Amino acid sequence: GNSVTQMEGPVTLSEEAFLTINCTYTATGYPSLFWYVQYPGEGLQLLLKATKADDKGSNKGFEATYRKETTSFHLEKGSVQVSDSAVYFCALKDDFGNEKLTFGTGTRLTIIP
Amino acid sequence: EAQVTQNPRYLITVTGKKLTVTCSQNMNHEYMSWYRQDPGLGLRQIYYSMNVEVTDKGDVPEGYKVSRKEKRNFPLILESPSPNQTSLYFCASSSLRDLGHYGYTFGSGTRLTVV
């Protein structure tokens, strides 16, 4: 079955540091890949997505590139801000007509001033 | 505003007392789903619905029921809640056509505590 593995958290960084949150997946075919963000007390919001190999999703300074050869979709940001403190979830949807999104366990990110 | 609305946001109940968490979406989405979020386990799907009167089990359906009598509503029913159902619950919806491109729209969550 499909699965998503994220790096263990929590992750604590200083403001303006470089961020990487690793995500690898297991799925057959060519899944769509997503990063969701969950701010404290809120639901999940779509941060960015990529639907085919080598696509780069980007939003709010975050980027992730769909790497089919390494089955990865790592999230990066060049200079984090305190407002980026949240829980980040990597997710996939396969292309076999299964509408379920499979999520990773989430990575809690805390940015300190 | 396009949104998924869940109620209540917070609920404390006692073991065995039936409860319903409501979910409503205003985007005419065919697909709706319930997830629970637990520390270290991420989000796990409870039930989903492809359209009116079409529901199916997800990965952790035990102890839950759902119904889809109208396209916009997808309530989650706990007939006899137990403490192991203490969790954060999310309702989500999507257009079937757009799901692979845009994923789900999530509600704000319902934090349920069963004592």
Side-chain angles (χ1 to χ4, degrees):
Chain A
N2 300 331
S3 67
V4 175
T5 302
Q6 287 182 238
M7 65 186 289
E8 291 286 329
V11 174
T12 302
L13 295 172
S14 297
E15 205 166 20
E16 299 183 3
F18 184 86
L19 168 71
T20 300
I21 300 178
N22 290 337
C23 171
T24 57
Y25 67 89
T26 301
T28 52
Y30 294 88
S32 296
L33 302 174
F34 305 89
W35 276 101
Y36 281 84
V37 58
Q38 183 182 29
Y39 298 105
E42 298 184 14
L44 281 75
Q45 305 172 25
L46 180 64
L47 179 60
L48 54 84
K49 64 175 175 70
T51 57
K52 61 182 188 296
D54 300 324
D55 266 2
K56 178 184 284 187
S58 62
N59 186 24
K60 298 182 180 180
F62 291 90
E63 293 183 338
T65 301
Y66 188 142
R67 301 285 188 204
K68 181 70 173 173
E69 64 276 14
T70 55
T71 61
S72 65
F73 193 54
H74 305 321
L75 183 68
E76 297 181 336
K77 186 174 185 181
S79 177
V80 293
Q81 306 300 313
V82 172
S83 57
D84 294 327
S85 298
V87 181
Y88 292 81
F89 291 90
C90 187
L92 72 82
K93 178 197 171 305
D94 67 32
D95 59 353
F96 287 99
N98 181 356
E99 285 69 25
K100 186 179 91 169
L101 260 63
T102 299
F103 287 86
T105 54
T107 302
R108 182 175 297 278
L109 173 67
T110 301
I111 308 300
I112 54 177
Chain B
E1 180 188 353
Q3 60 186 0
V4 176
T5 303
Q6 290 179 233
N7 281 296
R9 288 294 307 274
Y10 302 92
L11 179 59
I12 301 174
T13 190
V14 297
T15 299
K17 185 177 181 182
K18 181 179 178 180
L19 67 90
T20 299
V21 183
T22 63
C23 173
S24 180
Q25 50 92 7
N26 62 1
M27 297 165 281
N28 201 36
H29 285 166
E30 301 91 353
Y31 185 85
M32 298 186 74
S33 181
W34 279 101
Y35 281 81
R36 59 178 289 174
Q37 182 183 5
D38 300 291
L41 298 176
L43 280 83
R44 295 178 292 169
Q45 190 181 53
I46 303 171
Y47 268 94
Y48 65 96
S49 169
M50 302 282 283
N51 214 322
V52 176
E53 303 292 1
V54 180
T55 63
D56 209 344
K57 297 177 180 179
D59 298 318
V60 289
E62 295 77 18
Y64 304 95
K65 286 174 55 177
V66 293
S67 69
R68 188 90 182 272
K69 294 185 171 62
E70 306 164 282
K71 197 171 187 179
R72 63 185 291 122
N73 296 324
F74 190 48
L76 179 69
I77 302 155
L78 284 72
E79 295 268 0
S80 182
S82 62
N84 65 11
Q85 293 178 298
T86 293
S87 186
L88 180 58
Y89 292 86
F90 287 102
C91 182
S93 73
S94 179
S95 157
L96 286 174
R97 180 192 64 189
D98 296 335
L99 197 152
H101 290 274
Y102 300 107
Y104 295 160
T105 301
F106 281 86
S108 298
T110 296
R111 184 166 293 282
L112 172 65
T113 302
V114 184
V115 298

